[in-house]
Amino acid sequence: MKHEVLNTGSQKVDHVDLSDKVFGAEVKPHLFWEVVRNQLANRRAGTKKTKGRSEVDFTGSKMYRQKGTGRARAGSARSGVRVGGGHIHNIEPKDWSYKIPKKVRRQAVQSALSMKVAENKLTVVNEIALDEIKTKKLVQILAGLGMTNGLVIIAGRDEKIEKSARNIPFVKVLPVEGLNVYDLLRYDRVIVTRDAVAKIEGRFAQ
């Protein structure tokens, strides 16, 4: 399909052929749930931990004699019913990550990109170039493209663009290698550089 290419002043300068496999695919919303759930699960640290009775720093000796005190029998200060004792059914670190097929992830990205194109929320720009790390300059470029909440996809890592975008609220810059469904759905608008389009098609048009 034909899609217009803009410059940073939001003027039409050319057209680009977008692959129907990537930008014109069938939108499958159920894949969004599957892949986003997987992404968020894989991000979980799973490092919560509480100590069991064998791990607390207490003596293991009997607290007082078995009979004659009028108190309940007690064998150890480490018991979970005592203050400072170990937790009963203590929490152990857990790995929440799991895998889903590459084909599912690829189709989910295709669906998300196709949905943005169908909703007219994907903009292709000729290039985004900065001479220095300057947030103000990048804000002006994005404002010229009419974007205040969006995802900027560039062909490769660019320190000047990435660092310039760090302090802009509701804007994120990603290289093609980091493109994912969660960020495509999270941000309203998507801006893609022309070079990034070719790399996206090479990566996801299989």
Side-chain angles (χ1 to χ4, degrees), residues 51-67:
K51 291 183 178 181
R53 64 183 296 161
S54 65
E55 298 169 305
V56 293
D57 190 17
F58 271 131
T59 178
S61 62
K62 190 169 175 63
M63 298 176 64
Y64 45 82
R65 61 195 176 96
Q66 180 81 343
K67 293 180 177 292

Side-chain angles (χ1 to χ4, degrees), residues 112-124:
L113 289 171
S114 299
M115 184 177 70
K116 292 296 183 183
V117 172
E119 294 175 350
N120 199 28
K121 292 182 177 179
L122 185 140
T123 303
V124 179

Side-chain angles (χ1 to χ4, degrees), residues 8 23 36 53 62 105 125 132 137 148 162 164 196:
T8 52
F23 296 95
V36 170
R53 64 183 296 161
K62 190 169 175 63
R105 294 200 302 269
V125 296
E132 57 180 338
K137 179 64 176 177
T148 56
E162 291 176 13
S164 296

Side-chain angles (χ1 to χ4, degrees), residues 187-203:
Y187 294 94
D188 183 53
R189 290 276 307 282
V190 176
I191 290 179
V192 190
T193 63
R194 190 168 192 167
D195 291 341
V197 168
K199 292 191 71 174
I200 290 171
E201 291 178 347
R203 189 179 178 92

Side-chain angles (χ1 to χ4, degrees), residues 43-206:
R43 291 182 185 184
R44 293 183 69 170
T47 51
K48 287 198 297 186
K49 173 76 171 72
T50 57
K51 291 183 178 181
R53 64 183 296 161
S54 65
E55 298 169 305
V56 293
D57 190 17
F58 271 131
T59 178
S61 62
K62 190 169 175 63
M63 298 176 64
Y64 45 82
R65 61 195 176 96
Q66 180 81 343
K67 293 180 177 292
T69 64
R71 302 174 67 183
R73 293 171 290 184
S76 172
R78 299 176 181 175
S79 170
V81 301
R82 293 190 172 273
V83 176
H87 284 235
I88 301 171
H89 305 305
N90 60 301
I91 301 172
E92 294 289 346
K94 181 176 180 179
D95 181 11
W96 293 92
S97 65
Y98 66 96
K99 293 183 179 180
I100 58 175
K102 290 182 181 179
K103 182 178 179 180
V104 173
R105 294 200 302 269
R106 184 168 61 247
Q107 288 182 347
V109 171
Q110 293 171 353
S111 291
L113 289 171
S114 299
M115 184 177 70
K116 292 296 183 183
V117 172
E119 294 175 350
N120 199 28
K121 292 182 177 179
L122 185 140
T123 303
V124 179
V125 296
N126 196 28
E127 66 172 350
I128 298 176
L130 295 176
D131 297 328
E132 57 180 338
I133 299 171
K134 196 73 174 177
T135 299
K136 184 177 180 179
K137 179 64 176 177
L138 185 58
V139 168
Q140 292 173 347
I141 291 174
L142 297 179
L145 293 168
M147 190 181 88
T148 56
N149 177 346
L151 180 67
V152 180
I153 304 172
I154 55 179
R157 301 302 299 268
D158 189 317
E159 184 182 29
K160 294 176 182 177
I161 297 176
E162 291 176 13
K163 288 190 174 181
S164 296
R166 285 192 304 189
N167 289 332
I168 306 176
F170 312 116
V171 171
K172 184 172 184 177
V173 174
L174 279 180
V176 173
E177 290 77 11
L179 185 59
N180 64 88
V181 176
Y182 177 75
D183 285 321
L184 284 171
L185 298 179
R186 182 184 178 194
Y187 294 94
D188 183 53
R189 290 276 307 282
V190 176
I191 290 179
V192 190
T193 63
R194 190 168 192 167
D195 291 341
V197 168
K199 292 191 71 174
I200 290 171
E201 291 178 347
R203 189 179 178 92
F204 296 102
Q206 301 174 12

